[in-house]
Amino acid sequence: MQANNARHHINTPGCAIPDYSEELKFKYISTKNSCGQRAVFVNEIRSNKLQFKIDNIKMKKYVNNKEKYSCCYQTINRLKSRGEDSFISYSPCINFKSGMIIKFDNEELKITCSVHYKNKSDAIIYDDVYSKVKKVKLRNKVKKTSWNVVLLGLDAMSRTRFFKTMPQTFKLIKQNGWLDYKGYHATSFENFPSLMAVLTGLNKSTSHKRCEYGMDFCINNTLWSKFKDAGYATAYGEDYVHSQSYTFSGYYGFNNLPTDHYMRPLFLAGETREDNILCTKKLPSVSHLLDYSFQFMNVYKRENHFGVFWHKTNNDYIPKLIDDTFVELFIKLNNSNILDNTFMLFMSNYGITHGDFKISIASYYEQRLPMLFIWVPNNFRKMFPDKYRNMQANQNRLISPYDVFVTLTDILELSVKSSNHATSDACPKCSSIFEKISVYRSCASASVVESFCTCHDVNDIDIAYNGDVLDVAVSHIKELTRKINTIPFTACANVELDQVLRINTYTSLGNEYFIIAFTMAPGNKSYEVLLMKHGKSYQILEPIQSISAYNTKGSCVIDAVDRPYCICEMTSPCDIHND
């Protein structure tokens, strides 16, 4: 299957990315779209003061008319704990009535309402959590010609998936003049290295090496530390606490606060999955995240700020549910003048990484082409017309996360009047999007490795005449499985080829490549492997990608990176031999 030659995401001498968007179909399943109804509200009425408001009509949903109830509040407090970043505590619960005013001392609150009975224990009828941005005192005053930066991210969201599943948000930002980078390219299929590429300019191996003992050891490499050192207020929020970028896959999270404002304690206090929606008590987690991001930008509207807010959308039915939520945020931003001196990047890390969707070769492109939309402040456009024209031209160039890192560093340097020239360690040839990027730019010059590169079309090939490439790929997976270390009295099952999903080929710089997707049994696990032909032999190019859902049968592995390749089975003690 080939894309229509007239259709490309970008088409330059250095990189022509075919557009398969018409072949991509995204399913939509909705059985639940509410986490409950909020009946108690917390409002900031003046500086350092909060007021509680109980809506008695809405509270009737939770309590019968004749029952007596009372409500109390607790502060949610983050506990230092090296190794997990997953512990919180609560203050004693203090009773309150509607209209009560308290001092604003803590950003996160938990509210509990209980019915009281004479002859049995109280029963909790209402349980909710709340977050309010409490302004911190900054060292430096805002400069007239300085710019704020806010990154708003969606996990596993390609550009194609975005405009097909969130059409109202897409329409709004395009109408409002956001720049649309159609050649923005992934460099990893994992959250941590993807975000680190943007925030540090480092590749996966270097990021892991610097952060392997905990994020506190590499915090100084991040942009939010550089912006904080320059006097900016900083914030970081990411929902789905069980799979956050800096606390999942062995990176241990933060012992010390990474930013002035940090949302993780809120989500730790009550995040659950309810049917097909991620909830934190009475609101969807995404609503908490976007409301907090707006508060942050509004509180620091007249002061410098840098924020990162990331929402997880791993399941392909969720985007449709949150389309209106994002539209609401962007309308509020437009009506508040918050973006007058703020660069805002609405972006993602990669497309869908696994599931039945991956059977199509079109998904090969979808996964590697995330979205990147940038709002450029009007005063910046007027002050630097050449830079803005370059940004416009670069919408049709190959762009990598390392370019984004250099661009964000450039914004800071322009704001503080620094003459330093930013570079990315992972991509010395990458440049700021303020500079015109060459039409001859290739994946190699953008530090996009061959196994991720989409600057080529592909051809279907007959499996019957190309069994050798299939044999090499399958043998490699079988060999990986045999070498995996597991816990005592367990082993990885011997696997065999079950089904060939697709084999495609392409040519680049005189080399022939083969993309093979297939399923192994037992376990029904599928993989995508890239081979490069050397004469009559083949070289496997890393990384090998698992394109199946999370492997629930791989818990016996010692190293988490081996989990996609192992179907665990019990062994007898007699099967264990000492060499």
Side-chain angles (χ1 to χ4, degrees):
M1 181 182 70
Q2 285 187 307
N4 185 326
N5 288 332
R7 295 191 352 249
H8 287 82
H9 288 284
I10 61 171
N11 191 2
T12 66
C15 178
I17 302 177
D19 181 1
Y20 282 88
S21 58
E22 290 185 7
E23 284 82 11
L24 292 166
K25 307 297 181 184
F26 300 91
K27 61 184 178 180
Y28 170 57
I29 304 170
S30 177
T31 57
K32 183 180 179 68
N33 59 11
S34 173
C35 300
Q37 185 176 45
R38 179 163 275 183
V40 181
F41 301 87
V42 181
N43 302 308
E44 185 176 3
I45 57 172
R46 55 182 178 270
S47 179
N48 293 321
K49 296 292 181 181
L50 297 176
Q51 185 176 44
F52 297 112
K53 170 68 175 177
I54 300 175
D55 188 320
N56 291 319
I57 296 176
K58 292 179 179 177
M59 187 59 80
K60 288 180 180 180
K61 177 180 178 180
Y62 301 99
V63 59
N64 294 326
N65 289 332
K66 294 182 179 180
E67 290 179 329
K68 292 183 179 180
Y69 70 92
S70 64
C71 299
C72 63
Y73 74 91
Q74 299 168 279
T75 60
I76 304 168
N77 306 295
R78 179 178 184 267
L79 296 178
K80 279 189 176 184
S81 179
R82 187 176 299 281
E84 287 190 38
D85 195 9
S86 295
F87 296 97
I88 55 176
S89 66
Y90 300 93
S91 69
C93 213
I94 301 173
N95 288 334
F96 69 87
K97 293 185 180 300
S98 186
M100 179 176 169
I101 298 173
I102 65 170
K103 189 176 180 181
F104 186 7
D105 288 326
N106 194 288
E107 287 204 338
E108 290 88 22
L109 295 175
K110 179 180 181 181
I111 289 178
T112 306
C113 300
S114 304
V115 170
H116 308 290
Y117 299 103
K118 289 183 178 180
N119 300 320
K120 57 182 179 179
S121 301
D122 294 351
I124 295 175
I125 58 166
Y126 185 88
D127 186 19
D128 204 358
V129 292
Y130 304 76
S131 59
K132 296 291 178 183
V133 174
K134 180 175 172 59
K135 192 174 185 178
V136 300
K137 188 175 182 179
L138 302 179
R139 294 194 310 249
N140 299 336
K141 292 184 178 180
V142 64
K143 299 177 177 63
K144 289 184 178 180
T145 54
S146 61
W147 293 275
N148 311 311
V149 176
V150 174
L151 277 62
L152 182 60
L154 291 175
D155 182 63
M157 180 64 74
S158 68
R159 180 180 178 276
T160 297
R161 185 186 181 199
F162 173 58
F163 72 71
K164 287 196 171 189
T165 62
M166 297 178 65
Q168 298 306 313
T169 307
F170 179 76
K171 179 181 178 181
L172 182 64
I173 63 175
K174 291 289 281 186
Q175 285 178 342
N176 289 339
W178 290 58
L179 299 182
D180 176 5
Y181 290 87
K182 295 178 281 294
Y184 186 53
H185 209 294
T187 56
S188 175
F189 298 147
E190 298 173 48
N191 291 330
F192 175 78
S194 296
L195 199 49
M196 288 294 279
V198 171
L199 294 178
T200 68
L202 303 175
N203 61 22
K204 177 181 176 179
S205 60
T206 305
S207 293
H208 177 71
K209 183 176 181 180
R210 295 190 185 182
C211 307
E212 61 180 328
Y213 298 111
M215 291 305 302
D216 289 346
F217 292 91
C218 60
I219 186 68
N220 290 335
N221 292 118
T222 60
L223 277 175
W224 58 52
S225 290
K226 298 182 188 303
F227 276 88
K228 184 177 177 66
D229 289 343
Y232 280 61
T234 56
Y236 171 43
E238 184 177 351
D239 58 9
Y240 198 20
V241 291
H242 298 297
S243 183
Q244 289 192 341
S245 300
Y246 295 112
T247 57
F248 190 64
S249 300
Y251 293 105
Y252 306 117
F254 302 94
N255 184 42
N256 298 307
L257 278 173
T259 50
D260 297 312
H261 303 275
Y262 186 47
M263 290 194 71
R264 185 168 170 80
L266 178 82
F267 296 121
L268 286 170
E271 191 176 66
T272 58
R273 183 169 289 283
E274 302 292 338
D275 203 353
N276 62 355
I277 190 168
L278 192 65
C279 297
T280 301
K281 298 300 182 183
K282 295 292 186 287
L283 294 181
S285 293
V286 66
S287 296
H288 282 287
L289 185 78
L290 299 191
D291 178 65
Y292 193 90
S293 69
F294 180 80
Q295 287 185 58
F296 174 71
M297 289 183 274
N298 193 45
V299 165
Y300 292 103
K301 183 161 57 173
R302 293 180 177 83
E303 295 171 275
N304 288 133
H305 55 272
F306 176 87
V308 179
F309 302 95
W310 209 269
H311 174 56
K312 295 298 182 72
T313 56
N314 289 311
N315 296 300
D316 60 350
Y317 47 71
I318 290 180
K320 183 75 173 181
L321 297 177
I322 62 176
D323 195 10
D324 290 343
T325 308
F326 277 84
V327 167
E328 182 181 351
L329 171 68
F330 288 120
I331 289 176
K332 286 167 62 177
L333 289 172
N334 290 340
N335 294 339
S336 63
N337 300 320
I338 285 176
L339 298 181
D340 284 355
N341 63 335
T342 299
F343 281 89
M344 193 166 187
L345 282 70
F346 188 33
M347 62 190 303
S348 59
N349 41 17
Y350 42 74
I352 296 175
T353 57
H354 59 257
D356 294 342
F357 180 83
K358 292 295 296 177
I359 294 175
S360 165
I361 187 60
S363 69
Y364 169 88
Y365 293 92
E366 188 273 346
Q367 184 181 6
R368 290 160 171 79
L369 297 171
M371 66 176 196
L372 174 62
F373 300 92
I374 299 180
W375 168 258
V376 182
N378 289 324
N379 63 348
F380 184 90
R381 303 182 196 193
K382 294 176 182 177
M383 290 181 64
F384 301 101
D386 290 342
K387 294 182 186 298
Y388 183 62
R389 279 193 291 270
N390 290 340
M391 295 185 78
Q392 290 176 303
N394 291 335
Q395 292 178 100
N396 298 304
R397 302 287 188 271
L398 177 64
I399 303 291
S400 82
Y402 306 120
D403 298 307
V404 176
F405 166 76
V406 178
T407 305
L408 297 179
T409 307
D410 265 6
I411 294 171
L412 177 60
E413 292 173 352
L414 288 169
S415 297
V416 299
K417 306 298 187 292
S418 170
S419 59
N420 295 330
H421 181 66
T423 57
S424 164
D425 287 353
C427 183
K429 293 182 180 179
C430 285
S431 64
S432 169
I433 305 174
F434 296 153
E435 301 175 17
K436 186 173 287 188
I437 292 174
S438 171
V439 295
Y440 297 99
R441 186 184 222 194
S442 64
C443 282
S445 58
S447 289
V448 176
V449 298
E450 186 61 46
S451 54
F452 285 90
C453 186
T454 61
C455 295
H456 48 72
D457 208 334
V458 298
N459 298 300
D460 296 330
I461 60 173
D462 192 331
I463 297 172
Y465 294 99
N466 290 276
D468 51 347
V469 295
L470 178 62
D471 290 342
V472 171
V474 170
S475 297
H476 185 72
I477 296 297
K478 293 170 72 171
E479 183 67 17
L480 284 177
T481 303
R482 283 193 289 267
K483 292 181 178 180
I484 292 173
N485 292 320
T486 60
I487 60 178
F489 309 122
T490 65
C492 297
N494 292 324
V495 292
E496 299 292 340
L497 176 66
D498 180 53
Q499 181 183 8
V500 179
L501 302 178
R502 52 182 159 83
I503 300 181
N504 301 89
T505 185
Y506 69 90
T507 302
S508 177
L509 299 177
N511 296 314
E512 187 175 9
Y513 296 88
F514 297 87
I515 308 165
I516 307 103
F518 54 93
T519 303
M520 303 290 282
N524 195 35
K525 293 299 164 187
S526 300
Y527 306 94
E528 186 177 84
V529 180
L530 178 67
L531 275 66
M532 181 172 70
K533 190 171 184 179
H534 278 298
K536 295 184 178 181
S537 62
Y538 301 94
Q539 176 187 350
I540 290 181
L541 302 183
E542 299 291 344
I544 304 299
Q545 189 193 357
S546 170
I547 56 176
S548 297
Y550 182 72
N551 183 12
T552 58
K553 299 179 180 179
S555 58
C556 65
V557 301
I558 292 175
D559 192 334
V561 299
D562 294 326
R563 186 166 187 141
Y565 309 102
C566 184
I567 302 300
C568 297
E569 58 183 16
M570 298 299 296
T571 61
S572 164
C574 298
D575 295 332
I576 306 299
H577 301 283
N578 293 321
D579 294 331

